[in-house]
């Protein structure tokens, strides 16, 4: 307990001193503003950040010098917190004002550094209030951990934890120490006073590398129920134990019918992944153990499909995602929130296209980048303007949600391996030759939507009710019927991915993806 | 595009001329009141302004007198600094922003140039302005006022026309449909603000994702909005709509990053929006309906104009001849 606390204290003390020093240097530098470091935010904000860092650094120096030293009054802390929140919200406003790819890195770093300082302030307050017992009240302590986690997760998710000297590495380290501190506090009397999940504690066993890991071989697992299963009409070829040479050959193969490689299902890629064996993603308790008992935040899409009216994004705790949206059969950890069976069903919520594995490095260790992603694939078969600069590393994204999630018909600018880890998904693909018939959207309200089709596979096939957005697109019934008929004759291939299946989606292929059960997939983009 | 970065700081059109003389001295004895964000002491013109013990300035949470002069003519308030022109020259408070550091721009921003060059020029940053590298020039308008919101600009002409341009993703702020003939990124007229029942537009105000226009006949129209975020004004949309506050005639309006302020012809001040930094001058949190501010100026003083910085509010008061 003391050890973890001490190390966390030192980490925070160093960060505060470092931010102060960097800002002071920038303020005295005669160089022009650069959008790549904090100077791009302007001297006023750099100096305001420096002031807060300086006060925090001083507080930590006193703290580390000895526990009997005098503490700074809490009114000062309130003002530091106010200013850090001000800086965070000023930086955050820029995230909207710019298109994200044009957002100067300085604003992401400002957000990240202010969040790191806020975390340091909250840690300091927790430590000093617990030492001086007279100041402790339950309400002070309630939710402190949630605040600490939220503050860093926002920096990871919203700001991409930018910054050369702290950034993601610092936040990962802080999460590690926070977990140790918290685990230790669970055992000691200095509890965080937070209600624990009623989840059965796992058995702890020695792992192959000698470290202790809880064993998650119990029966707890996600529901396999499938409210709706679409028919597979033109099955994609399934192949087991395809060699790398054969896969490379497959990608080079060009048939007369289709330019470029064709989709194929590989049946044995993740067989030896911990995610499918010793660290089973199928087991909700394991996922909770990797997300600070479900306290970590994740971004989710709310609504049936990202082209629907009323679709939005929000941040939820992993626990909330599991209990309220993904697996409704799970018992709630919050005794106050008893589920009423007469309640409206919750909206479809989907953790989609999120780089979860940079946010939660623990889960990254449960999967392996398939060797296939290190082959050199062909360029886009029909439109070289879509090809992207070569990636250093494949881009990994997580896709986790309840039955009924939909990714509308679209294309991506990379080759894609979609690995199905938990549950089943339906996927339909149209070749790049059909691009003309896919009715790509254009720019919508200033947002480029050209990679997404106007066609809604679920609606065309009669699996889903016509949504509002679709009503607007299809002006009248006659036109709708005409569209349906034309669409009917566009050739496609489709499949249902079983757990352990990997679908290769070549660049340029239009794809529609539909979760059938609770489903967790990982996509690997490469070029 | 750095348009937005620029917008966040200030509008930078080069032919800004004097807006309606709401700020001009018309009597001896004017007082400036302010409330809100004060991280850089931008509300402290006088040395004796209160600050906390450590010397770091706290926000001001109610309208407080910050300056008394014979005449206070014009005000510029950015995130970190405030500059006003008085009979004895300009006085400033807070931390000068990068726009203030550009000498000839400073003149234009604060004191308004009298020689209009007849065109609007857009620059990506203060550095670009310094280097004379405009993104584009737009000729042919007799512009009397320009304002910036978070993702674009609006300009008011002598004839009372309002022209807007900015980021298409926030099309509601343009107050017009975006078409091939009326593109988002170039100045185009807001036709719905022509031929209003109470006369032409005489002043515009903007901040965050909200814009306002004041008519000759003391009506205020508002438009804008940020999809996915709570609106400051209920039901604000792409189409400019009248703002109704207790059926009062409106003398002045101002818009901050997430709040707005109105002054009625009776001299009452109403505020709406978020209050994180005390910008409403009211106790408590966000107001979702127009709320009257307590304003206890000395007898004989009446509020004559309102202005918003991104996170603060200013009220100018002058000797009220009617009352005396």
């Amino acid at each position: 307990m003391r050890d973890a606390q001490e190390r966390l204290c030192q980490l925070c003390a160093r960060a505060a001193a470092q931010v102060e020093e960097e800002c002071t240097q920038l303020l005295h530098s005669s160089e022009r503003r650069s959008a790549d470091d904090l100077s791009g935010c302007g001297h006023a904000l750099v100096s305001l950040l420096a002031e807060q860092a300086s006060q925090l650094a001083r507080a930590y120096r006193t703290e580390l010098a000895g526990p009997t030293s005098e503490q700074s009054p809490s009114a000062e802390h309130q003002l530091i917190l106010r200013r850090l929140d001000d800086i965070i919200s000023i930086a955050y406003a820029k995230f909207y004002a710019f298109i994200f790819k044009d957002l100067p890195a300085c604003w992401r770093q400002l957000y990240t550094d202010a969040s790191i300082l806020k975390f340091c302030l909250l840690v300091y307050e927790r430590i000093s209030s617990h030492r001086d017992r007279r100041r402790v009240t339950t309400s002070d302590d309630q939710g402190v951990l949630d605040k600490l986690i939220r503050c860093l997760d926002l920096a990871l998710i919203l700001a991409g934890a930018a910054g050369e000297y702290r950034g993601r590495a610092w936040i990962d380290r802080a999460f590690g120490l926070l977990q140790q501190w918290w685990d230790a506090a669970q055992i000691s009397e200095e509890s965080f006073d937070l209600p624990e999940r009623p989840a059965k504690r796992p058995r702890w066993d020695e792992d192959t590398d000698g470290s202790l890991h809880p064993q998650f071989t119990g029966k707890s697992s996600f529901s396999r129920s499938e409210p709706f299963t679409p028919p597979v009409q033109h099955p994609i070829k399934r192949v087991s134990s395809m060699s790398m040479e054969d896969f490379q050959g497959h990608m080079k193969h060009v048939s007369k019918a289709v330019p470029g490689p064709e989709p194929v299902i590989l049946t044995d890629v993740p067989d030896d992944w911990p995610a499918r064996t010793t660290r089973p993603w199928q087991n909700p308790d394991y996922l909770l153990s990797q997300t600070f008992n479900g306290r970590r935040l994740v971004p989710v899409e709310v609504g049936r499909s990202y082209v629907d009216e009323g679709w939005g994004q929000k941040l939820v705790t992993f626990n909330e995602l599991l209990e309220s949206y993904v697996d409704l059969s799970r018992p709630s950890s919050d005794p106050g929130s008893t589920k009423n069976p007469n309640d409206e069903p919750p909206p479809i919520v989907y953790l989609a296209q999120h780089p979860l594995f940079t946010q939660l490095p623990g889960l990254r260790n449960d999967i392996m980048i398939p060797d296939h992603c290190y082959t050199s694939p062909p360029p886009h078969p029909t439109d070289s303007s879509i090809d992207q600069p070569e990636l250093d590393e494949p881009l990994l994204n997580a896709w986790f949600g309840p039955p009924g999630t939909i990714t509308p018909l679209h294309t991506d600018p990379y080759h894609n391996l979609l690995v199905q880890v938990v549950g089943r998904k339906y996927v339909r693909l149209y070749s790049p030759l059909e691009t003309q018939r896919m009715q790509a959207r254009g720019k919508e309200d200033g947002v480029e939507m050209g990679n997404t089709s106007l066609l809604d596979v679920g609606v065309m096939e009669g699996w889903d009710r016509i949504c509002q957005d679709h009503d607007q697109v299809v002006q009248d019934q006659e036109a709708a019927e005409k569209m349906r008929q034309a669409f009917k004759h566009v050739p496609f291939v489709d499949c249902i991915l079983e757990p352990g299946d990997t679908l290769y989606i070549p660049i340029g292929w239009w794809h529609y993806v539909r979760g059938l059960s609770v489903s967790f997939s990982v996509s690997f983009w490469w070029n | 595009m750095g348009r937005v970065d620029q917008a966040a700081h200030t509008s930078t059109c080069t032919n800004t001329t004097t807006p309606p003389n709401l700020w001009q001295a018309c009597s001896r004895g004017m007082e400036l009141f302010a409330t809100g964000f004060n991280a850089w002491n931008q509300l402290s013109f006088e040395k004796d302004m209160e600050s906390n013990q450590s010397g770091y300035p706290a926000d001001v949470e109610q309208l407080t007198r910050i300056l008394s002069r014979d005449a206070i003519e014009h005000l510029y308030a950015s995130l970190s600094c405030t500059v006003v022109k008085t009979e004895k020259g300009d006085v400033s408070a807070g931390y000068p922003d990068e726009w203030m550091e550009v000498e000839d721009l400073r003149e234009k921003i604060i004191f308004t140039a009298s020689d209009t060059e007849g065109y609007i020029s857009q620059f990506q940053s203060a550095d670009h302005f310094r280097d004379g590298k405009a993104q584009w020039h737009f000729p042919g308008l007799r512009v009397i006022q320009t304002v910036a919101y978070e993702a674009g600009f609006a300009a008011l002409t002598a004839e009372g026309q309002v022209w807007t341009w900015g980021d298409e993703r926030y099309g509601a702020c343009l107050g017009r449909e975006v078409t091939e003939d009326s593109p988002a990124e170039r100045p185009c007229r807001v036709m719905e603000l022509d031929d209003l029942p109470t006369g032409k537009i005489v002043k515009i105000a903007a901040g965050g994702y909200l814009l306002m226009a004041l008519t000759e006949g003391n009506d205020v129209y508002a438009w804008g909005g940020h999809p996915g975020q709570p609106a400051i004004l209920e039901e604000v949309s792409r189409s400019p709509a009248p703002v109704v506050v207790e059926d009062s005639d409106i003398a002045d309006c101002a818009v901050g990053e997430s709040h707005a302020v109105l002054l009625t012809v009776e001299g009452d001040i109403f505020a709406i929006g978020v209050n994180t930094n005390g910008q409403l001058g009211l106790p408590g949190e966000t107001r979702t309906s127009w709320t009257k501010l307590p304003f206890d100026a000395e007898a004989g003083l009446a509020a004559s104009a309102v202005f918003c910085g991104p996170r603060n509010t200013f009220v100018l008061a002058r000797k009220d001849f009617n009352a005396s």
Side-chain angles (χ1 to χ4, degrees):
Chain A
M1 169 72 193
R2 283 286 156 229
D3 189 40
Q5 178 172 314
E6 178 104 17
R7 283 192 291 154
L8 191 57
C9 238
Q10 276 160 358
L11 184 73
C12 290
R14 274 199 307 275
Q18 212 179 31
V19 173
E20 182 188 6
E21 191 186 336
E22 271 173 50
C23 290
T24 310
Q25 270 177 16
L26 288 174
L27 290 170
H28 292 100
S29 158
S30 55
E31 282 174 40
R32 264 195 174 191
R33 289 163 51 128
S34 156
D36 296 329
D37 60 44
L38 288 174
S39 70
C41 304
H43 277 186
L45 282 164
V46 174
S47 111
L48 189 61
L49 186 70
E51 269 175 20
Q52 315 317 312
S54 155
Q55 293 178 75
L56 264 174
R58 198 165 54 237
Y60 268 105
R61 272 196 299 275
T62 316
E63 173 68 29
L64 288 166
T68 53
S69 308
E70 204 147 300
Q71 288 159 21
S72 45
S74 79
E76 275 180 31
H77 291 176
Q78 282 311 304
L79 190 55
I80 299 174
L81 187 61
R82 171 78 259 144
R83 293 302 172 233
L84 290 173
D85 280 335
D86 289 336
I87 294 170
I88 289 168
S89 67
I90 289 164
Y92 188 55
K94 309 290 180 191
F95 294 13
Y96 284 101
F98 288 90
I99 297 170
F100 198 76
K101 71 176 176 58
D102 296 335
L103 176 65
C106 59
W107 298 112
R108 296 199 293 117
Q109 187 181 341
L110 184 68
Y111 189 105
T112 305
D113 277 337
S115 301
I116 286 173
L117 292 181
K118 182 176 174 181
F119 175 87
C120 296
L121 178 67
L122 294 172
V123 166
Y124 177 84
E125 284 195 323
R126 166 101 197 344
I127 290 171
S128 55
S129 71
H130 262 248
R131 192 182 44 246
D132 183 3
R133 289 243 162 225
R134 284 161 303 175
R135 288 170 56 186
V136 176
T137 67
T138 319
S139 65
D140 279 348
D141 216 25
Q142 262 314 334
V144 159
L145 184 61
D146 288 327
K147 272 194 203 164
L148 285 166
I149 291 171
R150 182 177 177 82
C151 166
L152 294 186
D153 263 338
L154 290 179
L156 285 173
I157 296 166
L158 301 176
E164 193 182 344
Y165 300 110
R166 286 162 303 279
R168 188 178 300 281
W170 192 94
I171 291 178
D172 287 348
R173 212 170 307 138
F175 265 125
L177 289 174
L178 185 62
Q179 178 95 58
Q180 287 178 28
W181 188 29
W182 182 71
D183 285 346
Q186 293 298 291
I187 299 157
S188 82
E189 281 183 354
E190 288 185 80
S191 161
F192 264 95
D193 277 356
L194 290 165
E196 205 33 40
R197 285 186 55 77
K200 204 171 52 183
R201 287 203 81 79
R203 195 161 57 85
W204 289 70
D205 273 344
E206 202 162 323
D207 212 14
T208 43
D209 60 359
S211 61
L212 280 175
H213 281 294
Q215 291 293 301
F216 292 95
T217 47
K219 291 204 176 72
S220 174
S221 69
F222 288 116
S223 157
R224 289 173 201 276
S225 104
E226 262 178 42
F228 173 71
T229 309
V232 173
Q233 298 171 49
H234 308 287
I236 296 169
K237 191 167 75 169
R238 299 173 61 88
V239 182
S240 64
S241 26
M242 188 188 239
S243 70
M244 268 319 114
E245 291 73 25
D246 288 349
F247 184 69
Q248 185 78 55
H250 174 84
M251 285 191 302
K252 291 233 166 78
H253 175 78
V254 178
S255 73
K256 273 185 190 152
V258 181
E262 290 181 47
V264 63
I265 295 168
L266 310 167
T267 60
D268 47 11
V269 172
D271 283 0
D272 51 354
W273 287 9
R276 303 257 313 134
T277 54
T278 53
R279 298 157 182 252
W281 291 5
Q282 166 68 34
N283 184 334
D285 290 332
Y286 173 70
L287 294 179
L288 287 169
S289 79
Q290 293 300 303
T291 52
F292 227 124
N293 265 29
R295 288 192 177 87
R296 296 292 299 267
L297 296 179
V298 285
V300 292
E301 300 179 348
V302 184
R304 195 188 64 109
S305 154
Y306 69 72
V307 292
D308 281 5
E309 242 0 92
W311 178 89
Q313 290 166 292
K314 68 172 181 174
L315 295 166
V316 296
T317 65
F318 197 81
N319 204 11
E320 188 185 353
L321 176 63
L322 282 192
E323 280 179 0
S324 307
Y325 301 110
V326 170
D327 201 346
L328 304 177
S329 59
R330 287 187 64 77
S332 170
S333 65
D334 179 3
S337 75
T338 46
K339 282 166 202 153
N340 182 347
N342 298 326
D343 281 353
E344 284 274 298
I348 297 281
V349 154
Y350 195 12
L351 190 166
Q353 200 174 339
H354 172 52
L356 185 68
F357 310 109
T358 48
Q359 189 199 346
L360 301 171
L363 287 182
R364 172 65 185 84
N365 297 330
D366 299 348
I367 58 175
M368 288 176 265
I369 295 178
D371 291 339
H372 308 72
C373 299
Y374 295 103
T375 56
S376 53
H380 192 284
T382 57
D383 185 355
S384 62
S385 72
I386 290 174
D387 288 316
Q388 302 292 310
E390 195 174 323
L391 295 172
D392 294 333
E393 282 289 321
L395 295 175
L396 277 62
N397 279 302
W399 309 78
F400 175 56
T405 59
I406 288 169
T407 308
L409 198 54
H410 72 286
T411 66
D412 295 314
Y414 297 100
H415 292 266
N416 184 356
L417 280 184
L418 180 63
V419 182
Q420 190 63 19
V421 183
V422 176
R424 307 207 311 157
K425 273 192 167 114
Y426 172 84
V427 189
R428 179 184 286 197
L429 299 106
Y430 293 87
S431 101
L433 283 181
E434 308 304 338
T435 297
Q436 290 307 318
R437 294 203 266 178
M438 290 293 105
Q439 305 193 32
R441 291 161 185 261
K443 216 172 184 189
E444 295 180 357
D445 295 326
V447 180
E448 187 49 67
M449 293 286 280
N451 77 330
T452 304
S453 167
L454 276 168
L455 302 169
D456 189 322
V457 172
V459 172
M460 293 288 170
E461 292 288 356
W463 305 338
D464 298 318
R465 278 183 306 144
I466 291 177
C467 59
Q468 205 184 352
D469 184 56
H470 202 79
D471 260 348
Q472 290 161 0
V473 173
V474 184
Q475 300 279 330
D476 56 66
Q477 284 300 317
E478 204 175 307
E481 193 47 40
K482 220 170 155 187
M483 203 184 209
R484 201 184 302 269
Q485 285 306 320
F487 181 67
K488 229 175 163 174
H489 296 106
V490 186
F492 64 87
V493 290
D494 59 354
C495 63
I496 288 175
L497 293 177
E498 305 284 343
D501 282 352
T502 300
L503 174 63
Y504 164 57
I505 306 173
I507 189 170
W509 282 69
W510 294 80
H511 47 291
Y512 167 88
V513 187
R514 186 181 179 102
L516 303 181
S517 62
V518 172
S519 161
F520 200 149
S521 335
V522 181
S523 66
F524 298 85
W525 280 358
W526 88 103
N527 61 9
Chain B
M1 285 279 271
R3 176 177 62 222
V4 196
D5 188 31
Q6 170 195 29
H9 284 87
T10 179
S11 61
T12 59
C13 302
T14 59
N15 66 347
T16 314
T17 58
T18 315
N21 294 340
L22 292 164
W23 288 89
Q24 230 139 44
C26 52
S27 67
R28 289 208 172 271
M30 303 193 81
E31 301 202 325
L32 185 62
F33 292 75
T35 183
F37 198 28
N38 190 37
W40 292 277
N41 260 322
Q42 63 265 56
L43 302 185
S44 305
F45 288 101
E46 327 261 317
K47 289 256 156 60
D48 58 355
M49 279 295 290
E50 55 183 290
S51 58
N52 74 357
Q53 293 161 334
S54 70
Y56 296 107
D59 293 337
V60 179
E61 289 171 357
Q62 56 186 359
L63 281 172
T64 304
R65 186 171 61 218
I66 61 168
L67 189 67
S68 303
R69 286 290 187 276
D70 285 347
I72 297 174
E73 266 187 33
H74 202 78
L75 184 144
Y76 165 81
S78 70
L79 187 68
S80 65
C81 73
T82 311
V83 187
V84 291
K85 188 177 184 181
T86 73
E87 78 281 3
K88 289 178 190 146
D90 62 308
V91 288
S92 61
Y95 203 115
D97 58 44
E98 56 165 340
W99 303 98
M100 287 294 104
E101 288 160 11
V102 185
E103 205 52 46
D104 49 338
L105 189 60
R106 182 186 164 99
E107 270 301 305
K108 288 185 165 114
I109 291 171
I110 313 164
F111 309 120
T112 68
S114 51
D115 54 323
T116 68
E117 292 144 33
Y119 56 85
I120 299 169
S121 303
Q122 180 163 296
F123 299 87
Q124 205 175 351
S125 71
D127 285 340
H128 286 80
F129 180 86
R130 204 183 275 115
D131 300 343
K133 287 182 190 151
Q135 287 176 300
W136 46 258
H137 302 285
F138 190 88
L141 295 183
R142 291 171 57 210
V143 173
I144 58 168
Q145 192 197 358
T146 55
V147 292
Y149 61 96
E150 193 73 21
F153 302 94
L156 176 66
T157 69
E159 298 79 18
Q161 297 171 355
V162 176
W163 295 63
T164 56
W165 65 102
D167 191 332
E168 188 182 349
R169 292 176 302 152
Y170 306 105
C173 295
L174 298 170
R176 54 184 169 88
E177 291 299 326
V178 175
T179 63
E180 238 167 73
D181 297 330
S182 178
E185 66 279 3
R186 287 302 159 98
C188 290
R189 257 172 90 180
V190 179
M191 303 303 244
E192 286 185 46
L193 289 172
D194 291 346
D195 303 321
L196 296 170
T198 57
K200 67 173 188 177
I201 304 297
V202 293
K203 184 194 172 166
I204 51 177
Y209 295 85
L210 178 68
L211 294 94
M212 285 187 179
L214 177 68
T215 69
E216 242 170 3
N218 301 105
D219 278 342
V220 163
Y221 288 78
W223 67 98
H226 184 169
Q229 291 199 352
I232 297 165
L233 289 185
E234 226 177 295
E235 291 178 15
V236 71
S237 75
R238 187 186 294 262
S239 184
V243 177
V244 179
V245 180
E246 295 184 356
D247 288 325
S248 294
D249 277 343
I250 307 298
D252 197 10
C253 60
V255 186
E257 181 187 292
S258 310
H259 76 296
V261 178
L262 293 177
L263 173 68
T264 68
V265 294
E266 291 85 22
D268 291 330
I269 303 158
F270 290 85
I272 196 167
V274 308
N275 198 28
T276 48
N277 296 91
Q279 54 265 66
L280 298 187
L282 292 162
E285 300 298 315
T286 300
R287 293 298 196 288
T288 53
S289 61
W290 290 102
T291 308
K292 190 171 162 183
L293 265 65
F295 178 57
D296 304 318
E298 290 152 46
L301 273 179
S304 63
V306 289
F307 195 91
C308 287
R311 294 177 182 212
N312 39 35
T313 298
F314 301 85
V315 173
L316 187 68
R318 61 175 167 81
K319 200 161 272 173
D320 186 349
F321 288 116
N322 297 331
S324 61

